[in-house]
Amino acid sequence: MFKHTLIALATLVPLAASHSAFFHPSMFGFNVTDDTFPFDNRPAVPLKNRTFNDWWFHGHLNFTPNAGDIFELPAGMPATAEIACNKNATSYFATANNGTDARNATNPNDVCPGKNSTAYHTLGKDDLGGCALAIAYNSNATEVAPSDFTVFSVNQTCVFTRFTDFQVPARMPACPPGGCTCAFFWIHTQNSGGNPESESILQ
Ligand SMILES: *[C@@H]1O[C@H](CO)[C@@H](O)[C@H](O)[C@H]1NC(C)=O
Ligand SMILES: *[C@@H]1O[C@H](CO)[C@@H](O)[C@H](O)[C@H]1NC(C)=O
Ligand SMILES: *[C@@H]1O[C@H](CO)[C@@H](O)[C@H](O)[C@H]1NC(C)=O
Ligand SMILES: *[C@@H]1O[C@H](CO)[C@@H](O)[C@H](O)[C@H]1NC(C)=O
Ligand SMILES: *[C@@H]1O[C@H](CO)[C@@H](O)[C@H](O)[C@H]1NC(C)=O
Ligand SMILES: *[C@@H]1O[C@H](CO)[C@@H](O)[C@H](O)[C@H]1NC(C)=O
Ligand SMILES: *[C@@H]1O[C@H](CO)[C@@H](O)[C@H](O)[C@H]1NC(C)=O
Ligand SMILES: *[C@@H]1O[C@H](CO)[C@@H](O)[C@H](O)[C@H]1NC(C)=O
């Protein structure tokens, strides 16, 4: 008998990140660089004022993850997200910026090394909007609509640490064969600039 059900995520979709993103090989657009699109459409680039197609999946719906690259959601346990302002400040730096490791050697939780926290829109731990993970029980991302997503976990002290835990409910139903499709949402406060409504697609 298994104590925990392992829920496999086929895909991870950073929908709302502006100046920070949830990086993982299971995400759409994992290898998108500033050159991939006619405009800079890296995962951390803001989404405000975009058309639906440019906003949905961050415009990365055709930049699918490799088969087998899944983000696991262990039921009843925390799942740890890795959030940074640039891919080169994550564990996946080797596939960004010619392999330069930009992580902060003395502070593994530094979201944006070398930058003020205003780069990820916070003045401190008491100035955070929070993040959410949502799930759609369909492995076929092209079939998923915004209304298919259900938020199942939030972290209110987010974006503040590169490694951020999301508690996965113990009674999360298992995903269909092929996994589920998930979305990452972030809302920040207005204090360090930028309109927080640009990220508020939690409903
Ligand atoms: C979005 O559109 C509004 C209204 O046109 C405008 O005031 C605002 O500057 C735009 N924001 C961005 C980030 O383009
Ligand atoms: C991302 O780039 C790495 C290094 O080139 C490659 O191994 C990996 O398959 C790529 N992933 C996707 C989803 O294209
Ligand atoms: C990667 O290296 C090439 C060749 O040295 C250079 O032209 C390019 O600017 C580098 N790109 C980044 C993002 O550092
Ligand atoms: C990390 O990537 C950002 C954005 O491309 C770049 O500005 C920065 O110089 C890079 N850091 C390092 C240490 O290469
Ligand atoms: C790394 O983190 C430490 C502790 O927060 C900070 O003092 C230092 O300025 C950071 N280094 C860089 C390059 O951001
Ligand atoms: C970061 O920016 C804020 C707002 O401009 C400023 O008040 C603060 O002193 C800066 N912090 C550092 C460490 O430079
Ligand atoms: C995903 O859904 C689309 C639209 O319904 C369909 O055309 C496609 O065949 C499906 N892909 C898979 C792998 O089932
Ligand atoms: C939010 O993430 C932080 C950093 O990983 C963690 O310490 C905290 O327990 C998390 N909060 C919740 C409610 O899971």
Side-chain angles (χ1 to χ4, degrees):
M1 191 154 73
F2 295 103
K3 194 171 176 195
H4 303 293
T5 310
L6 277 185
I7 297 180
L9 277 192
T11 52
L12 190 86
V13 193
L15 283 180
S18 118
H19 301 303
S20 80
F22 183 155
F23 286 93
H24 190 266
S26 64
M27 72 197 276
F28 285 76
F30 181 62
N31 285 335
V32 167
T33 69
D34 48 356
D35 295 329
T36 310
F37 285 75
F39 59 103
D40 186 356
N41 195 27
R42 285 171 299 157
V45 170
L47 294 166
K48 188 174 183 183
N49 287 357
R50 291 193 178 195
T51 60
F52 179 82
N53 285 339
D54 278 352
W55 165 78
W56 184 234
F57 282 58
H58 211 290
H60 297 160
L61 191 53
N62 294 328
F63 295 81
T64 52
N66 291 327
D69 280 341
I70 55 160
F71 183 75
E72 286 192 351
L73 294 173
M77 292 166 69
T80 304
E82 186 168 355
I83 303 167
C85 67
N86 271 302
K87 194 184 185 187
N88 64 3
T90 73
S91 313
Y92 312 108
F93 68 85
T95 59
N97 295 89
N98 299 341
T100 309
D101 186 356
R103 291 175 296 177
N104 185 333
T106 59
N107 178 12
N109 266 320
D110 196 336
V111 173
C112 202
K115 294 270 175 71
N116 191 306
S117 67
T118 53
Y120 46 98
H121 296 289
T122 176
L123 297 177
K125 207 160 187 174
D126 55 357
D127 181 41
L128 299 166
C131 301
L133 291 184
I135 193 164
Y137 279 78
N138 188 340
S139 60
N140 188 341
T142 60
E143 287 183 348
V144 173
S147 58
D148 293 331
F149 281 120
T150 302
V151 170
F152 65 91
S153 189
V154 298
N155 188 308
Q156 288 165 300
T157 52
C158 178
V159 169
F160 199 65
T161 52
R162 177 160 70 105
F163 296 108
T164 299
D165 284 348
F166 288 87
Q167 307 303 321
V168 181
R171 300 184 64 189
M172 230 23 210
C175 286
C180 291
T181 301
C182 285
F184 168 70
F185 298 94
W186 167 38
I187 183 168
H188 63 75
T189 72
Q190 216 155 4
N191 299 333
S192 56
N195 187 337
E197 284 167 28
S198 62
E199 281 80 36
S200 62
I201 37 178
L202 280 170
Q203 289 156 47

